[in-house]
């Protein structure tokens, strides 16, 4: 009989966490653990938590408690575990261990400790931005490579840095399908007053282009046809490598990888979106003209209070620049309402921007204080009831506008990546303007379409942000 133990890995949060989980999965298997699809019967359940906003933190706690009910040992990892460390361990007695990013390289040994009943002292959280040289270009010079048996070299980054991410190739796919996230970098150098992510994810560290390309080829060999490039801020890619045009150079090389049909970039900062990058995103075969733009608001005073840049006029000019090259380019963004000091005029400015922006997908979030952020101490806090009203009003407007944008696509032709059969017949896929999970889908009617194939379709109808189409 096998002496290998079993572990169930649950992933919460964003696509960046998905990549971290697939790295953890590869390390677990390499250490002699078998992964299972269910908590039932597993020796250990590892929950890769999300610690971004209150709702995500609650979901993480609920998932940990549910795992405890299965009878397995329970381990908290990921962003919430990193962000709160010893505090979480003290308050959540159901967790057998709370692991920070430092524990990832030795995850197999940590799970052995859990099974043996050995105490794992949870870390005391600290600001990870202080763990690397201040100058971005000095970061990689301070990170010599060390060998991982069977996996080549891995940067020996300073202790406590958020995981460098991903394989060399150290990754095990946990899901199927023709689309997979590929992490460009870890961390963030921006100092938005509402965001705690840089403090627990650390300073921005780009993965070398050769490493990203190697992983892209590996993914292509595992039936991936679309690469979804993720990071906390993709427009910063390469600045710590001494090359601000690194992403512009990398995208055509990724699109040329044998087997890859489409490359999509997420999370672009409007203030850093250079003309050359716009040209590459709009004009490179195999690169989706898709713009996931982190606007957050459209009122100049609110944005400055957030320590961000721009306003309604500049953002509309940016969208006009993009659409001059590709009129049907996909655009999505998220927005925070009720930020401290947001007046009714500021809110109306944001609504006016949405009406003029013609975006395909819009996320609306109500402001809430996040531990350790500057916004906690800002004056002019908006009443919770007023925040809820503004969220409701802006969400209704967003739904109306994005539905109208989808209707505008009726009669046009799109290229759809088929992701599988739909439950009620036909096939589900996504067009260039639709990212995984968040932007809607296309139902392609017909028969005989293969998962992973690109199909040219004509849009026949819409339902909200979702489209219905027939092969062209």
């Amino acid at each position: 009989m096998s002496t290998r133990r079993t572990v169930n890995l649950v992933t919460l949060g964003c696509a960046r966490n998905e990549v971290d989980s697939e790295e953890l999965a590869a390390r677990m298997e390499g250490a002699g653990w078998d992964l299972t699809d269910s908590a039932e019967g597993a020796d250990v359940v590892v929950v890769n938590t999300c610690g971004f906003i209150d709702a995500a933190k609650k979901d993480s706690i609920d998932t940990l408690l549910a795992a405890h009910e299965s009878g397995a040992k329970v381990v908290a990892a990921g962003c919430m575990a990193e962000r709160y460390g010893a505090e979480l361990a003290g308050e959540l007695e159901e967790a057998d261990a709370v692991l920070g990013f430092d524990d990832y390289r030795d995850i197999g040994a940590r799970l052995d400790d859990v099974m043996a009943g050995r105490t794992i002292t949870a870390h005391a959280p600290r600001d990870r931005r202080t763990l690397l040289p201040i100058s971005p270009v000095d970061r990689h010079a301070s990170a010599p490579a060390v060998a991982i048996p069977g996996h080549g070299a891995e940067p020996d980054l300073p202790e406590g840095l958020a995981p460098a991410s991903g394989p060399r190739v150290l990754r095990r796919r946990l899901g199927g399908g023709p689309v997979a996230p590929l992490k460009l970098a870890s961390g963030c150098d921006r100092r938005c007053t509402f965001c705690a992510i840089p403090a627990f994810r650390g300073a921005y560290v780009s993965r070398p282009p050769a490493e990203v390309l190697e992983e892209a080829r590996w993914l292509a060999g595992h039936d991936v046809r679309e690469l979804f490039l993720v990071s906390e801020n993709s427009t910063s890619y390469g600045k710590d490598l001494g090359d601000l045009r690194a992403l512009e150079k990398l995208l055509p090389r990724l699109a040329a990888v044998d087997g890859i049909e489409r490359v999509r970039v997420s999370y672009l900062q409007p203030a850093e979106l250079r003309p050359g990058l716009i040209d590459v995103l709009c004009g490179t075969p195999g690169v989706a003209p898709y713009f996931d733009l982190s606007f957050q608001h459209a009122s100049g005073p609110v944005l400055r209070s957030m320590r961000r840049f721009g306003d309604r006029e500049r953002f509309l000019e940016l969208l006009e620049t993009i659409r001059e090259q590709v009129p049907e380019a996909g655009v999505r963004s998220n927005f925070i309402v009720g930020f401290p000091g947001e007046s009714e005029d500021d809110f109306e400015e944001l609504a006016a921007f949405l009406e003029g922006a013609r975006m395909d997908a819009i996320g609306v979030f109500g402001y809430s204080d996040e531990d350790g952020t500057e916004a906690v101490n800002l004056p002019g806090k908006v009443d919770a009831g007023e925040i809820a009203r503004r969220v409701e009003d802006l969400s209704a407007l967003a739904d109306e506008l994005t539905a109208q944008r989808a209707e505008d696509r009726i009669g046009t032709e799109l290229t759809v990546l088929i992701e599988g059969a739909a439950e009620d017949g036909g096939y589900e896929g996504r067009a260039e303007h639709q990212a995984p999970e968040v932007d809607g889908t296309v139902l392609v009617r017909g028969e005989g379409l293969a998962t992973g194939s690109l199909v040219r379709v004509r849009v026949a109808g819409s339902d909200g942000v979702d489209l219905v189409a027939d092969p062209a």
Side-chain angles (χ1 to χ4, degrees):
M1 295 180 63
S2 173
T3 59
R4 292 169 68 98
R5 289 168 169 169
T6 56
V7 56
N8 174 235
L9 179 57
V10 180
T11 306
L12 304 175
C14 65
R16 298 184 292 277
N17 263 13
E18 292 180 31
V19 179
D20 285 352
S21 283
E22 294 194 348
E23 177 183 341
L24 284 170
R27 294 181 184 276
M28 290 172 185
E29 282 197 335
W33 288 79
D34 287 328
L35 277 90
T36 66
D37 295 330
S38 172
E40 297 299 326
D43 293 310
V44 181
V45 177
V46 176
V47 180
N48 187 355
T49 60
C50 178
F52 181 41
I53 58 176
D54 285 343
K57 287 182 276 191
K58 181 180 183 302
D59 190 26
S60 294
I61 294 295
D62 290 345
T63 303
L64 288 161
L65 294 175
H68 176 71
E69 292 298 320
S70 73
K73 300 283 188 180
V74 178
V75 173
C79 290
M80 187 176 181
E82 172 59 42
R83 185 175 178 185
Y84 295 102
E87 178 184 350
L88 179 62
E91 295 182 1
L92 191 66
E93 61 183 22
E94 291 84 356
D96 295 278
V98 174
L99 304 182
F101 294 149
D102 297 353
D103 296 301
Y104 281 21
R105 288 189 180 180
D106 299 317
I107 186 66
R110 296 292 79 75
L111 297 187
D112 290 340
D113 291 338
V114 168
M115 288 302 299
R118 291 187 285 269
T119 299
I120 300 175
T121 302
H123 69 284
R126 72 277 203 198
D127 189 337
R128 288 182 173 268
R129 291 171 295 190
T130 64
L131 299 174
L132 285 172
I134 294 176
S135 171
V137 295
D138 291 336
R139 292 174 188 168
H140 282 267
S142 68
V146 295
I148 292 182
H151 294 290
E154 178 175 74
D156 186 18
L157 295 170
E159 181 183 358
L161 180 65
S165 167
R168 285 64 168 168
V169 169
L170 184 64
R171 182 168 180 174
R172 179 194 189 275
R173 289 211 73 194
L174 295 175
V179 181
L182 174 55
K183 191 182 287 188
L184 287 172
S186 291
C188 184
D189 284 345
R190 300 187 70 87
R191 296 295 183 267
C192 302
T193 55
F194 58 83
C195 184
I197 290 176
F200 62 83
R201 273 289 183 182
Y204 196 89
V205 179
S206 302
R207 298 178 65 194
E211 183 180 296
V212 177
L213 286 162
E214 179 185 0
E215 186 171 337
R217 288 187 284 268
W218 183 87
L219 288 168
H222 286 74
D223 300 322
V224 171
R225 296 296 170 258
E226 177 176 318
L227 302 174
F228 184 41
L229 305 185
V230 298
S231 73
E232 276 74 22
N233 175 10
S234 297
T235 37
S236 282
Y237 180 74
K239 70 177 186 179
D240 52 320
L241 303 174
D243 186 0
L244 289 176
R245 297 185 60 242
L247 185 57
E248 299 165 34
K249 298 172 183 176
L250 178 62
L251 286 172
R253 298 177 69 190
L254 287 170
V257 169
D258 188 31
I260 297 301
E261 302 285 355
R262 179 186 289 163
V263 179
R264 183 188 306 277
V265 186
S266 71
Y267 215 79
L268 303 167
Q269 287 286 348
E272 298 178 15
L273 191 55
R274 300 169 297 279
L277 181 54
I278 295 175
D279 292 343
V280 170
L281 288 168
C282 288
T284 305
V287 175
Y290 174 81
F291 292 82
D292 174 16
L293 294 162
S294 176
F295 288 127
Q296 303 297 350
H297 211 280
S299 162
V302 173
L303 286 164
R304 285 190 290 276
S305 185
M306 291 178 169
R307 199 172 291 145
R308 297 176 67 86
F309 304 95
D311 52 35
R312 173 165 59 124
E313 182 178 357
R314 294 180 193 178
F315 290 164
L316 290 175
E317 288 175 354
L318 173 59
L319 294 177
E320 182 179 357
T321 297
I322 291 168
R323 288 168 174 152
E324 285 175 353
Q325 295 196 44
V326 181
E328 299 305 315
V331 179
R332 81 160 341 267
S333 190
N334 294 324
F335 298 90
I336 299 172
V337 297
F339 189 79
E342 182 191 63
S343 66
E344 188 64 32
D345 286 344
D346 293 323
F347 179 72
E348 293 300 327
E349 182 78 355
L350 174 55
F353 170 69
L354 295 191
E355 291 174 347
R358 297 174 56 238
M359 287 182 283
D360 296 280
I362 298 169
V364 179
F365 299 89
Y367 171 81
S368 62
D369 285 338
E370 283 295 313
D371 298 336
T373 63
E374 292 183 44
V376 169
N377 298 314
L378 288 177
K381 292 293 176 65
V382 181
D383 177 76
E386 178 62 19
I387 292 177
R389 181 194 70 80
R390 293 180 187 181
V391 168
E392 182 178 0
D393 289 352
L394 201 70
S395 295
L397 176 62
D399 289 345
E400 178 184 345
L401 293 171
T402 53
Q404 180 59 55
R405 179 64 172 155
E407 287 182 16
D408 291 343
R409 294 188 183 274
I410 295 175
T412 66
E413 289 194 5
L414 303 172
T415 299
V416 174
L417 177 67
I418 301 299
E419 297 187 16
E423 290 184 2
D424 298 325
Y427 299 85
E428 184 177 280
R430 287 181 173 81
E432 290 182 325
H433 70 279
Q434 296 170 317
E437 308 296 336
V438 292
D439 292 346
T441 62
V442 180
L443 173 64
V444 181
R445 299 182 291 207
E447 298 179 354
L449 301 180
T451 297
S453 62
L454 286 177
V455 179
R456 194 70 178 166
V457 304
R458 182 176 294 277
V459 181
S462 65
D463 181 9
V465 296
D466 297 325
L467 302 174
V468 178
D470 301 301

